[in-house]
Amino acid sequence: MVEEKESTQDSSERGDTTAELVETREEEIVEAVFDGERAYVEPENADRISQQGIYGQQLDNGQLELVPVEILHLLERKRIEVRDRTGRTLSSADIVNALLPQHPDLWTQYLVFRDLRSRGYAVRQGFGGGLGFRVYARGDRPGVATANQLVYVLRDGEPISLHDLDMVTQTAAAARKRLVFALVDQNGEVNYYKVAQVTLENKAGET
């Protein structure tokens, strides 16, 4: 479980990363093709990048589809080289600049994704509405186990309305998952806060 007020400075968490999730820097770089929204790895390399379901979604044609935060993370780890459909090599900055108009919170989302992955968690996209990620217990994998946490991403100083708070709390409760807020400060550090739903009663005992 992501601990309350757990900071990116917590070095003890780094040592808990499971063997299956340890970065392998010596592996051959694989090509991925970016279509302006997502990137695709050819079937012959899909399993190497997927890491048994940790990254991407396997398509019916055998390709591995990567969402933006996964593209950025695999680029940072030097696991993939991204090209557009004309064959031009793209950097992380190219990817971010291409996606920012549609995804203005992409970099904030990526900082949280990268931090969770560095702590040994498997991470998948969330349900929308601010619920950026589904997070699995250490050692669990998407497609084998179910996520046990939902992560709502916030920038420092960014308010959340009572309506949105109620909505995400109810969504997490209905899905039987713990709700965690990931707060990204101005230095790019991430802190986590557990959120619980509370029912208030009046003096007559009515809710």
Side-chain angles (χ1 to χ4, degrees):
M1 179 174 64
V2 178
E3 296 296 335
E4 185 176 6
K5 298 186 180 180
E6 184 177 349
S7 169
T8 53
Q9 300 299 312
D10 188 350
S11 61
S12 65
E13 289 290 351
R14 299 297 191 268
D16 288 338
T17 305
T18 59
E20 293 85 359
L21 301 179
V22 172
E23 295 183 0
T24 51
R25 298 179 181 176
E26 297 180 357
E27 292 192 40
E28 181 181 350
I29 296 175
V30 168
E31 181 177 300
V33 177
F34 182 63
D35 70 354
E37 180 66 29
R38 303 194 176 194
Y40 298 87
V41 176
E42 289 303 308
E44 59 267 25
N45 293 316
D47 287 344
R48 293 169 52 196
I49 297 301
S50 173
Q51 294 186 8
Q52 298 181 353
I54 296 300
Y55 290 100
Q57 181 70 37
Q58 199 95 25
L59 303 181
D60 290 341
N61 64 5
Q63 287 184 319
L64 185 70
E65 181 183 67
L66 302 170
V67 298
V69 290
E70 293 174 326
I71 299 170
L72 294 174
H73 196 240
L74 289 165
L75 274 170
E76 183 176 343
R77 292 183 56 201
K78 303 188 186 310
R79 293 296 316 283
I80 61 173
E81 179 179 73
V82 180
R83 300 181 184 274
D84 63 17
R85 295 196 182 279
T86 69
R88 182 171 69 95
T89 301
L90 303 176
S91 65
S92 295
D94 293 327
I95 300 294
V96 171
N97 290 334
L99 291 171
L100 272 181
Q102 306 100 310
H103 304 283
D105 294 328
L106 174 58
W107 190 250
T108 302
Q109 295 275 333
Y110 174 61
L111 291 175
V112 175
F113 178 87
R114 181 178 67 180
D115 185 67
L116 289 167
R117 289 289 293 111
S118 74
R119 296 171 187 270
Y121 294 103
V123 184
R124 288 293 192 191
Q125 283 191 306
F127 300 140
L131 289 170
F133 302 112
R134 291 169 287 150
V135 180
Y136 296 74
R138 285 192 181 93
D140 284 351
R141 294 182 179 278
V144 178
T146 58
N148 65 348
Q149 299 180 81
L150 295 177
V151 176
Y152 188 99
V153 179
L154 278 170
R155 289 194 299 265
D156 192 15
E158 177 182 87
I160 178 172
S161 69
L162 289 175
H163 175 270
D164 289 345
L165 178 60
D166 184 58
M167 180 188 68
V168 297
T169 302
Q170 289 190 29
T171 298
R176 298 176 181 269
K177 302 184 190 303
R178 290 188 293 271
L179 177 62
V180 176
F181 276 18
L183 182 64
V184 182
D185 69 18
Q186 295 180 349
N187 296 319
E189 295 179 9
V190 186
N191 290 278
Y192 300 97
Y193 300 85
K194 292 181 290 186
V195 181
Q197 188 174 30
V198 177
T199 301
L200 299 179
E201 296 183 355
N202 62 24
K203 292 182 179 180
E206 299 175 349
T207 59

